[in-house]
Amino acid sequence: VLEQFLQEGRMSALLWEVCQQPAQAGSPELQEVLLNRVVCLPDHVSNKLEGKNPPVFFPQNYFPLLGGAIIQVLQKISDSLRGGLDCSISFVSHVLGKVCVHGRQKEILGVLVPRLMDLTKSDCIWQRICWRLIECVPDRWMEAVVLGFVQRAPGADVLSRLLGNLVVKNKKAQFVVTQKMLLLQYGHTTAVLQNLLGYLALDSLRRALLIKVLQELLEMWSSSSAVKHSPPEQQQYISKAILICLFHLKETEIESCRQELLTSMMEGVKCHLDSSLPQIRRLGMIVAESISAKINTDGPVLKFQVKVIMEFMSGEFIRLMRLNYINSLKPCVIPHVTLLFIKCFKDCNNIQARSDQVLLLDRGKDCIDDDLIPYDMSEDKEVKIKAPVYIRDCIEVLTGSEDMDKWEATIKALESLVRKNPEATREVSVELAKILLHLEEKTCIEGFVELRQRAQVAVLTTDPIPVAKYLTSQFYSLNYSLRQRMDILDVLVLAAQELSYPKSHGKTKHSGGPKPCIQLLPGSDSSKDWRRIVDERIKSKTRRFATGQSQVELASSPNEFNSVAGHFFFPLIQHFDRPLTTFDLLGEDHFVLGRLVHTLAVLMYLAVNTMAVAAMGKALLEFVWALRFHTDSYVRQGLLSCISSLLISVPAERLLEDMTEELLETQSWLGDVVEKDPDGDCRRLALQNLLFMENLKKKL
Amino acid sequence: MALPPPDPQFVLRGTSAAVHTLHFSCGGQEPDVPTLFSGSENGFIHVWNLKTHRVDTALDGHGRKSVYCVETMGGKTRLLSQGRDQRICLWDLTEGRTEVTDSVFTENVGFCRCSLLTVAQGRWLMAMAAKALEEVQVLELPSKTSVCTLKPEAGAKLGMPMCLKLWQLSGGSQPLLLAGYEDGSVVLWNLSMGKALSQLACHQEPVMSLDFDAEKAKGISGSSEKVLSIWSLNEQQNLQVYKTHNLVNAGISDITIRPDKKIVATAGWDHRIRVFGWKKMKPLAVLDYHTATVHCVSFSNHKNPRERLLAAGSKDHRISVWSIYTQT
């Protein structure tokens, strides 16, 4: 019966009936019941019929049908309004609201929105009906309805037609639009954001809200605690929203809030640049650049070295920025990114053109043939300065030489020299390490940092103990720049890696260019370290069950890291809690702390199968325990990596015998992290650690 | 595929010092042996027998100070040499004699080589940098009478003269002097009026060497830069840049046009000798033998074109002798 009822389109009739009734005293209860029946019909029917449910009552069919019915009713209402009759729309609104809050927005609005969009295009009565329809939705269901509309509307103008000035009239809707969707949630797509903010910008009444929203967004963006504690995805979302807001702002409006913009920009830049996550730093730079371009239409504009950013920026951001730029009125403010981009492009073209010309010229010359035939001149190249051949010469050049060419040749040759002459290197190893650590780039050599690092690694691997002693002691001493301290860490890691690999591997790996770059870009390295650890973990497992072949290869050379692991590890872990005047690991310099923790994790991993591993593990556990509530997510990630490399490296018996209690404590901490940590990577790492612990337990 | 560049015909070793200047004397008839004079940093002038490739005599006349210019006057029995002892010596080498017959005290402390021009049988003009920094003095030899002193106008700021070239069109006409200066410009002087006819800024750096082809009225100059400048002299006696040629490596210490005006050789700071076709400055060869800066290049004056040689002296104490483009 019900099926027939539905198919005959009686639903719309029913709704229409209810709408026609003027508000009566007894009707609220009746309406309530009716509402329940209408919205929950599919549930009721399926409960009754249990599996023999006809397809009409499947939610995905029923709700579009209901949507169609609503449209019909609205049609009738509009007719009757034109006819001068009054009728109430509130029941339809109630139906809509309830359906939405039951999570059926997709089905019902999928039908409603396109139809309403067409109908409201030219007809102001329809627009009024539509506004009214949404306004009458009770507050408790408002959020679901508004959210649905914002998500489904294909553009800001459509949204504006459908919603009218709802946000101004309805407190709840305002809250949803200006607070909840922007500041509390961050899952919406850029298109939704653009809809929403565009909608706010379209009407003068709503523009006040737009400015308010921008201020709130900026407040969030520039608050250091938000930067520290909210996940990067959310920060990205907020940055996008800010960029869109900026795009919508007009000169005069900017004028009115320039000072505020400036202050929050300053604060925001500061705390973003403080962050140890590169993507956050980049976000800060992008947003700050856009703001400054907006507020200083004729003054100096804040510019970062965006070349780097370009490579990392997602396409979406470029688009948003471009929008902003096109919108900015004066051509002089066209930023620098675009200019740079254009310039790069032009340069490429120029070079192309020039080489073409050269070719043409050459050909022209050949045509007018002289009677003299030239000899082969391909050997005629720029003269290269000969690099020194002895390590002591290198030291001399690096410390005192004014000859830049020689200096350059030396730094390029140093690594291979050190590797070829281990004996000679040992005589001067510490001195050489010292020089390299303090070496500054004098001329612009391509890959200087890498060259220096490779030389340092070479020195450290040739003479591990004294050099490691020197480097680790320098890590905690006065008057080094952060860069130098991080260099020390990187060099230790790379050298440890090289030492711990079987010799044959180490050689081939090195000549092929190991990737010291892993460490150079802090952003990628946490994940890469982690990836490597995971890879190694898999490898280590396969090793255990592997057939003889690979074992033979591995067994052929002793692990050189065995005897020196402790020299690398313990000096680093000892002094972290003693702040110096220029260097405070636990305070401001948390970025270095993060690197330190990651370094320790890698060292721990590389120390697998060495004698010192158990002692190292114990020290590391204590270290992790002391830092477990650090506010910086980069540091926490490092700590979690420490735990996993510890679990891999230390033999299971030793783990359970020597450090049972610590392990249990760690386990409960990991559980906490999995549930509560704001950073997604941290949660994932912790989960993996827990799984790994479980596996260990099972194995025993 | 182009041929690989040739190796030296032979190499002369034994000066035991950097070679700064070379001069051939190969125009004599048999049984006259072709000879090469070389002046080196230790003050000796070596007389090389090109048949045996040995030193015939070593002349010591400059107090062990570097000799940087050697020229023959007529045959190979009269020799002119200039050294860092600020003297220009005239030698008599007839019948095995090795004596300085006369000398001129230049009082000049620069490195500017003097330039010699035969004006008549037994009469020469010699241009040399004078005592005053910017001046050039022209003497008549062997009388040593001063012909003129060429002084740039006040405020010209040319700096010291770096290289000189005396020349005249076909015999009898007015001799002229081309001088390259420290500021990179080349100036054409009229000797009889003692006046600059034309000035051309060829380089940013001091002109290290120049040579001039009077027939084509075209000259070439090099400096410490990466570029060779070729310039021409028009009928109004004005110098104009004809073209420039870019080099792979910077620094030219000597330039010589072969007497037959077919090719040019340059001595480079990059240890290489470069050979160009003179007509269009077409690069022909890069001769890579020396292991230090090449100081000088010189072409021989063999009567038979097939025997013509190119010699280069270098800081590495060696003189390389090449036989190149002798077929044309």
Side-chain angles (χ1 to χ4, degrees):
Chain A
V1 180
L2 278 169
E3 194 176 346
Q4 217 174 6
F5 173 77
L6 279 180
Q7 274 160 354
E8 278 167 17
R10 300 297 303 214
M11 185 56 94
S12 62
L14 172 71
L15 293 176
W16 174 233
E17 279 300 313
V18 181
C19 287
Q20 271 182 329
Q21 287 171 13
Q24 285 169 10
S27 65
E29 290 87 27
L30 178 69
Q31 275 194 12
E32 193 68 25
V33 173
L34 205 55
L35 184 65
N36 246 329
R37 283 290 129 121
V38 169
V39 173
C40 302
L41 190 65
D43 297 342
H44 289 307
V45 173
S46 61
N47 279 346
K48 282 269 155 56
L49 294 180
E50 289 180 358
K52 279 173 283 175
N53 200 354
V56 190
F57 292 108
F58 290 171
Q60 60 265 41
N61 298 329
Y62 176 77
F63 288 106
L65 201 79
L66 190 57
I70 290 177
I71 292 287
Q72 282 172 17
V73 173
L74 291 177
Q75 187 76 52
K76 281 185 189 160
I77 292 174
S78 86
D79 289 346
S80 73
L81 279 182
R82 272 170 233 268
L85 281 167
D86 192 26
C87 48
S88 152
I89 206 168
S90 68
F91 184 70
V92 183
S93 300
H94 278 78
V95 171
L96 182 63
K98 186 135 178 140
V99 171
C100 285
V101 93
H102 275 225
R104 296 299 171 188
Q105 290 151 326
K106 203 171 83 194
E107 285 90 358
I108 196 160
L109 290 181
V111 177
L112 271 182
V113 170
R115 290 297 311 279
L116 285 175
M117 204 170 83
D118 287 341
L119 290 167
T120 52
K121 208 168 259 171
S122 50
D123 194 335
C124 70
I125 292 184
W126 265 105
Q127 280 188 17
R128 291 266 300 283
I129 291 174
C130 189
W131 296 351
R132 191 81 197 127
L133 174 72
I134 299 167
E135 274 166 35
C136 288
V137 175
D139 275 357
R140 58 205 151 114
W141 298 329
M142 185 56 99
E143 180 185 344
V145 177
V146 170
L147 197 61
F149 271 98
V150 172
Q151 279 173 343
R152 291 221 163 44
D157 50 337
V158 176
L159 193 63
S160 172
R161 271 201 327 254
L162 294 181
L163 294 188
N165 271 337
L166 179 71
V167 282
V168 186
K169 289 181 199 151
N170 188 314
K171 271 268 154 56
K172 177 77 181 180
Q174 187 179 352
F175 175 75
V176 169
V177 168
T178 61
Q179 302 278 323
K180 201 154 181 179
M181 287 190 71
L182 291 173
L183 301 177
L184 302 178
Q185 301 171 332
Y186 57 91
H188 304 295
T189 61
T190 314
V192 172
L193 263 182
Q194 274 172 324
N195 266 353
L196 184 75
L197 294 165
Y199 160 71
L200 288 181
L202 272 177
D203 189 281
S204 56
L205 277 172
R206 282 172 268 160
R207 287 196 81 90
L209 275 179
L210 182 69
I211 295 176
K212 207 178 123 220
V213 163
L214 177 61
Q215 281 165 355
E216 275 162 4
L217 282 170
L218 280 174
E219 202 175 296
M220 180 105 165
W221 180 75
S222 62
S223 120
S224 69
S225 104
V227 170
K228 241 183 238 163
H229 297 290
S230 57
E233 294 81 19
Q234 183 173 16
Q235 300 190 33
Q236 192 169 350
Y237 183 80
I238 285 177
S239 304
K240 276 187 211 164
I242 292 176
L243 287 186
I244 297 170
C245 280
L246 286 173
F247 164 68
H248 287 301
L249 281 191
K250 287 184 186 133
E251 287 272 318
T252 47
E253 291 165 330
I254 292 170
E255 201 63 49
S256 66
C257 58
R258 169 168 298 168
Q259 202 49 46
E260 289 165 56
L261 277 174
L262 193 66
T263 23
S264 48
M265 180 186 84
M266 287 319 202
E267 275 173 34
V269 168
K270 185 176 163 292
C271 57
H272 274 86
L273 291 184
D274 250 2
S275 164
S276 48
L277 296 177
Q279 79 246 43
I280 304 282
R281 290 200 293 271
R282 268 177 240 134
L283 270 183
M285 288 192 262
I286 294 171
V287 174
E289 267 197 6
S290 305
I291 298 177
S292 91
K294 266 281 178 186
I295 57 178
N296 297 329
T297 37
D298 33 34
V301 175
L302 185 65
K303 277 173 193 167
F304 291 99
Q305 298 221 319
V306 254
K307 244 187 180 168
V308 199
I309 305 176
M310 292 288 292
E311 291 164 25
F312 302 102
M313 221 163 28
S314 64
E316 226 160 47
F317 265 92
I318 300 185
R319 236 185 38 236
L320 288 181
M321 284 179 87
R322 181 113 22 95
L323 273 180
N324 264 331
Y325 297 144
I326 293 164
N327 198 35
S328 61
L329 298 171
K330 300 193 178 170
C332 64
V333 229
I334 289 185
H336 180 89
V337 189
T338 25
L339 282 186
L340 256 182
F341 194 67
I342 293 167
K343 222 161 90 192
C344 289
F345 207 69
K346 267 189 190 158
D347 279 353
C348 295
N349 280 344
N350 274 351
I351 289 166
Q352 187 62 42
R354 211 170 298 142
S355 58
D356 284 353
Q357 253 174 16
V358 169
L359 272 180
L360 279 179
L361 278 178
D362 279 354
R363 216 168 287 147
K365 251 187 219 159
D366 285 346
C367 291
I368 316 160
D369 203 8
D370 242 332
D371 43 355
L372 304 169
I373 303 137
Y375 287 98
D376 178 24
M377 280 173 290
S378 55
E379 290 303 307
D380 188 22
K381 292 184 186 119
E382 302 240 359
V383 177
K384 291 200 184 73
I385 307 288
K386 285 210 179 96
V389 196
Y390 300 105
I391 290 182
R392 282 173 196 275
D393 287 350
C394 290
I395 293 179
E396 215 165 274
V397 172
L398 291 180
T399 47
S401 174
E402 293 300 310
D403 183 351
M404 284 307 137
D405 292 331
K406 205 162 186 183
W407 190 85
E408 226 177 287
T410 307
I411 187 84
K412 280 180 186 154
L414 190 55
E415 189 209 354
S416 59
L417 264 183
V418 167
R419 289 193 188 279
K420 268 183 227 150
N421 310 303
E423 289 300 325
T425 308
R426 262 172 225 137
E427 289 168 22
V428 289
S429 57
V430 174
E431 193 186 345
L432 195 55
K434 191 172 174 180
I435 290 167
L436 285 171
L437 183 60
H438 291 274
L439 199 62
E440 293 290 336
E441 190 165 10
K442 278 192 193 170
T443 56
C444 189
I445 313 179
E446 206 176 322
F448 168 79
V449 181
E450 195 177 321
L451 285 170
R452 184 185 55 196
Q453 192 177 45
R454 278 160 69 161
Q456 283 175 300
V457 171
V459 174
L460 181 51
T461 47
T462 2
D463 197 11
I465 296 178
V467 178
K469 215 180 254 171
Y470 171 74
L471 286 180
T472 47
S473 69
Q474 295 309 300
F475 181 76
Y476 285 110
S477 59
L478 282 171
N479 296 333
Y480 278 98
S481 68
L482 296 186
R483 198 270 302 153
Q484 282 166 320
R485 291 184 209 272
M486 289 197 275
D487 274 355
I488 295 178
L489 293 178
D490 292 346
V491 168
L492 285 172
V493 165
L494 288 171
Q497 196 179 350
E498 197 183 314
L499 285 174
S500 65
Y501 273 125
K503 242 311 165 277
S504 54
H505 278 233
K507 281 256 169 70
T508 48
K509 260 228 144 142
H510 215 91
S511 55
K515 292 161 214 95
C517 312
I518 327 169
Q519 298 288 322
L520 294 180
L521 291 171
S524 48
D525 72 347
S526 68
S527 59
K528 267 191 190 153
D529 278 353
W530 172 245
R531 178 77 38 78
R532 199 172 63 213
I533 287 170
V534 173
D535 287 350
E536 296 291 337
R537 184 190 290 173
I538 294 165
K539 225 189 268 172
S540 67
K541 278 199 174 159
T542 44
R543 231 178 257 162
R544 245 171 255 160
F545 309 118
T547 49
Q549 204 179 8
S550 64
Q551 270 173 354
V552 170
E553 190 193 10
L554 284 169
S556 62
S557 67
N559 186 347
E560 286 177 42
F561 193 50
N562 184 10
S563 50
V564 294
H567 292 280
F568 280 64
F569 185 82
F570 290 110
L572 277 186
I573 209 168
Q574 268 163 12
H575 303 284
F576 70 95
D577 49 357
R578 282 167 227 171
L580 298 167
T581 38
T582 54
F583 183 49
D584 181 11
L585 267 184
L586 296 185
E588 290 226 311
D589 296 321
H590 53 81
F591 184 56
V592 183
L593 180 64
R595 296 292 288 271
L596 171 66
V597 176
H598 276 97
T599 306
L600 289 174
V602 178
L603 288 179
M604 186 71 218
Y605 170 72
L606 293 171
V608 65
N609 299 332
T610 61
M611 304 292 279
V613 73
M616 283 167 70
K618 196 149 177 139
L620 191 60
L621 262 186
E622 273 160 30
F623 173 78
V624 169
W625 189 245
L627 288 175
R628 69 195 184 282
F629 293 127
H630 201 276
T631 48
D632 191 38
S633 62
Y634 184 60
V635 174
R636 287 198 307 273
Q637 281 171 17
L639 293 175
L640 291 163
S641 307
C642 281
I643 300 284
S644 39
S645 51
L646 181 125
L647 292 174
I648 296 167
S649 294
V650 183
E653 314 81 72
R654 303 299 302 273
L655 268 179
L656 295 179
E657 273 170 36
D658 298 356
M659 353 180 174
T660 332
E661 282 193 21
E662 287 95 332
L663 269 186
L664 287 177
E665 281 174 336
T666 313
Q667 197 173 9
S668 61
W669 169 60
L670 287 175
D672 264 9
V673 172
V674 171
E675 279 171 22
K676 293 176 195 157
D677 200 284
D679 187 275
D681 281 339
C682 283
R683 288 195 300 269
R684 214 180 54 242
L685 284 173
L687 191 65
Q688 266 162 328
N689 277 334
L690 279 179
L691 280 176
F692 203 64
M693 278 187 167
E694 286 302 312
N695 283 347
L696 270 182
K697 259 190 220 160
K698 266 183 220 154
K699 222 187 300 167
L700 284 179
Chain B
M1 187 61 204
L3 286 169
D7 288 327
Q9 182 94 338
F10 49 88
V11 177
L12 305 174
R13 297 179 172 89
T15 59
S16 62
V19 181
H20 282 281
T21 184
L22 290 169
H23 187 83
F24 279 101
S25 176
C26 309
Q29 300 287 328
E30 291 282 342
D32 226 10
V33 284
T35 310
L36 174 67
F37 297 95
S38 73
S40 43
E41 197 156 286
N42 56 7
F44 281 97
I45 300 162
H46 293 93
V47 185
W48 299 88
N49 182 328
L50 293 183
K51 277 248 165 69
T52 59
H53 305 171
R54 303 274 163 92
V55 177
D56 277 350
T57 23
L59 312 173
D60 176 17
H62 287 279
R64 305 291 159 99
K65 297 279 176 54
S66 171
V67 177
Y68 57 92
C69 184
V70 176
E71 294 271 355
T72 51
M73 303 168 80
K76 61 178 184 178
T77 51
R78 293 189 76 176
L79 193 70
L80 174 147
S81 68
Q82 184 178 20
R84 290 282 288 155
D85 60 349
Q86 305 182 16
R87 285 199 316 152
I88 294 173
C89 296
L90 300 177
W91 299 79
D92 179 14
L93 303 179
T94 42
E95 294 162 358
R97 270 185 283 246
T98 56
E99 50 192 64
V100 178
T101 53
D102 204 350
S103 70
V104 180
F105 188 52
T106 62
E107 295 181 78
N108 177 278
V109 291
F111 300 87
C112 180
R113 289 174 182 151
C114 63
S115 175
L116 195 68
L117 177 73
T118 315
V119 280
Q121 187 66 39
R123 260 188 65 229
W124 296 272
L125 281 182
M126 184 192 69
M128 63 179 197
K131 184 188 175 191
L133 269 185
E134 298 199 325
E135 287 175 15
V136 177
Q137 199 176 18
V138 183
L139 301 180
E140 194 186 70
L141 292 180
S143 64
K144 297 205 285 180
T145 49
S146 173
V147 176
C148 63
T149 304
L150 306 173
K151 216 183 287 184
E153 284 170 42
K157 295 243 170 93
L158 293 172
M160 287 192 290
M162 303 295 292
C163 48
L164 304 168
K165 173 80 181 175
L166 270 176
W167 61 279
Q168 68 188 141
L169 272 175
S170 45
S173 73
Q174 192 56 246
L176 296 164
L177 174 74
L178 277 164
Y181 285 89
E182 204 179 348
D183 73 337
S185 55
V186 172
V187 178
L188 178 71
W189 293 93
N190 181 322
L191 297 188
S192 51
M193 294 189 286
K195 209 180 80 179
L197 295 173
S198 172
Q199 179 181 345
L200 178 68
C202 293
H203 300 276
Q204 306 293 319
E205 300 287 327
V207 184
M208 299 301 292
S209 178
L210 63 82
D211 203 355
F212 185 72
D213 171 5
E215 290 166 27
K216 295 199 183 72
K218 218 166 72 172
I220 178 168
S221 60
S223 74
S224 55
E225 302 161 304
K226 261 188 173 174
V227 63
L228 289 173
S229 175
I230 297 101
W231 27 267
S232 62
L233 188 63
N234 66 7
E235 274 96 44
Q236 287 78 46
Q237 309 246 302
N238 275 322
L239 290 168
Q240 297 165 325
V241 174
Y242 177 70
K243 66 181 276 192
T244 56
H245 181 86
N246 287 319
L247 297 165
V248 177
N249 288 305
I252 288 296
S253 46
D254 197 13
I255 295 182
T256 313
I257 304 172
R258 195 161 76 178
D260 66 0
K261 320 290 191 229
K262 285 251 169 74
I263 57 174
V264 186
T266 64
W269 293 3
D270 61 351
H271 317 171
R272 290 173 191 157
I273 305 155
R274 283 159 214 280
V275 181
F276 300 89
W278 176 227
K279 215 154 85 191
K280 304 208 160 55
M281 279 313 278
K282 175 181 174 184
L284 292 177
V286 177
L287 307 176
D288 194 3
Y289 166 77
H290 289 285
T291 53
T293 301
V294 183
H295 282 142
C296 51
V297 280
S298 180
F299 285 105
S300 75
N301 54 345
H302 280 95
K303 285 253 166 61
N304 180 357
R306 290 184 175 274
E307 291 173 44
R308 283 181 306 213
L309 297 171
L310 163 68
S314 158
K315 199 182 172 185
D316 64 5
H317 303 188
R318 292 182 195 158
I319 301 164
S320 57
V321 182
W322 311 73
S323 171
I324 193 167
Y325 296 109
T326 52
Q327 305 298 322
T328 48

